[in-house]
Amino acid sequence: MEQIKQLIIAVAPGQLTAAGGWGRPIAHMAYRVGAGPHLFRASGPVSPQGGLMVIDDAGFSGGGEAEGFCNEVLRECAARKFTGVVCRFLGRPAPVLSESTARLSELCRRRGMECYVTEPYGISGARVIISTALSGGSLQGRLEAAGEQFGMERIALWVERSAEDFLLPSPGGTGAPLTAEELLRRREEYGADIFFSRELCAHYFTYMSGEKGHFVLFDDAGSIRKKILLASELGIQTAFLPYETTEDLLGELLA
């Protein structure tokens, strides 16, 4: 797995001390864009310092001007000695966020800083985050398509640890999220035979509950390692590991 050049641990405020012990670059998931738009930071026992700033758009309703927001981001980066910005905007694309990501991409480039954005904002010229979460198709196909659209050198992997129970048939392609305890309980209760999907790069098993069929898709250290290896073989050099969902696997993943 070390073939990938940059493995970044994405960390929420309360996890910073524990995550920092792994000696890897940190992406601070402590920021969001709120009404205005303005930059807001979540409080935590340890203030973020160094690494990357991660901004989400949870609850953002749109509207406002980009310039003031971008200035707030850059001031915070300077105060916290951040080396770059990750605009992890997962809500409905908003014009002001499109303008903000384009402006931040250019401002970061001038300052020698990194800038990452999600796919809807990839036209900005920044590096583009692609999630590993899939319920169909193939991860390789997904990454290759993104590489054709943006250039493989611009792609960064965001590792999503999957654990979902799909009721069959599943036309919507969404399953019920499972905790680690629920996943283990289902495996034991139904004596499941575990298989590996090369296309999804994840483990799976099936079971029957009454007359209803279920398909359970999940990751472990082995499948996550294979996702990262696949990305590196395609020329992707950066991957983000969310600490909250991979904390128990880091010993294996970073060995």
Side-chain angles (χ1 to χ4, degrees):
M1 194 176 73
E2 290 302 322
Q3 292 180 42
I4 208 156
K5 289 184 178 179
Q6 187 170 219
L7 192 59
I8 302 167
I9 302 178
V11 184
Q15 305 162 335
L16 184 54
T17 300
W22 290 99
R24 296 290 176 138
I26 295 294
H28 300 274
M29 300 177 68
Y31 295 87
R32 67 178 177 87
V33 52
H38 291 291
L39 182 70
F40 294 85
R41 176 168 62 88
S43 60
V46 180
S47 296
Q49 194 77 12
L52 298 170
M53 168 196 285
V54 182
I55 312 170
D56 72 49
D57 62 340
F60 181 63
S61 57
E65 300 294 331
E67 184 174 0
F69 171 69
C70 293
N71 289 338
E72 291 179 8
V73 170
L74 291 178
R75 283 197 298 269
E76 182 72 358
C77 285
R80 301 288 174 182
K81 296 182 172 58
F82 292 144
T83 59
V85 180
V86 181
C87 297
R88 193 166 179 257
F89 299 154
L90 303 178
R92 175 178 292 183
V96 67
L97 296 185
S98 295
E99 186 179 347
S100 296
T101 52
R103 184 170 177 81
L104 283 172
S105 175
E106 176 60 21
L107 292 171
C108 286
R109 185 189 64 79
R110 293 180 190 173
R111 289 162 173 76
M113 297 167 61
E114 298 175 280
C115 186
Y116 298 84
V117 299
T118 43
E119 277 184 273
Y121 304 96
I123 195 172
S124 67
R127 301 185 69 181
V128 181
I129 302 166
I130 302 295
S131 169
T132 62
L134 290 176
S135 60
S138 79
L139 181 59
Q140 180 169 339
R142 173 87 172 91
L143 295 177
E144 288 176 340
E148 289 179 6
Q149 182 177 1
F150 302 110
M152 200 64 78
E153 71 283 353
R154 289 179 57 200
I155 302 300
L157 198 69
W158 190 281
V159 177
E160 301 279 5
R161 184 180 181 179
S162 176
E164 292 184 277
D165 188 328
F166 298 84
L167 182 64
L168 300 176
S170 180
T174 58
L178 298 175
T179 65
E181 294 75 17
E182 290 170 336
L183 176 63
L184 180 60
R185 191 181 309 125
R186 278 168 173 72
R187 291 178 62 174
E188 293 178 343
E189 181 178 353
Y190 296 101
D193 291 323
I194 308 300
F195 303 94
F196 182 76
S197 168
R198 288 181 175 272
E199 289 76 19
L200 300 176
C201 218
H203 300 287
Y204 71 93
F205 63 87
T206 60
Y207 69 91
M208 296 293 296
S209 179
E211 296 182 353
K212 296 181 178 179
H214 290 254
F215 173 84
V216 177
L217 188 70
F218 70 96
D219 283 308
D220 61 10
S223 63
I224 290 176
R225 188 180 295 113
K226 288 178 180 177
K227 293 177 197 287
I228 295 174
L229 179 60
L230 171 62
S232 69
E233 289 174 344
L234 292 174
I236 296 169
Q237 296 300 326
T238 301
F240 290 88
L241 278 176
Y243 183 80
E244 183 175 9
T245 56
T246 61
E247 175 185 3
D248 58 321
L249 305 180
L250 290 179
E252 295 178 73
L253 292 174
L254 303 181

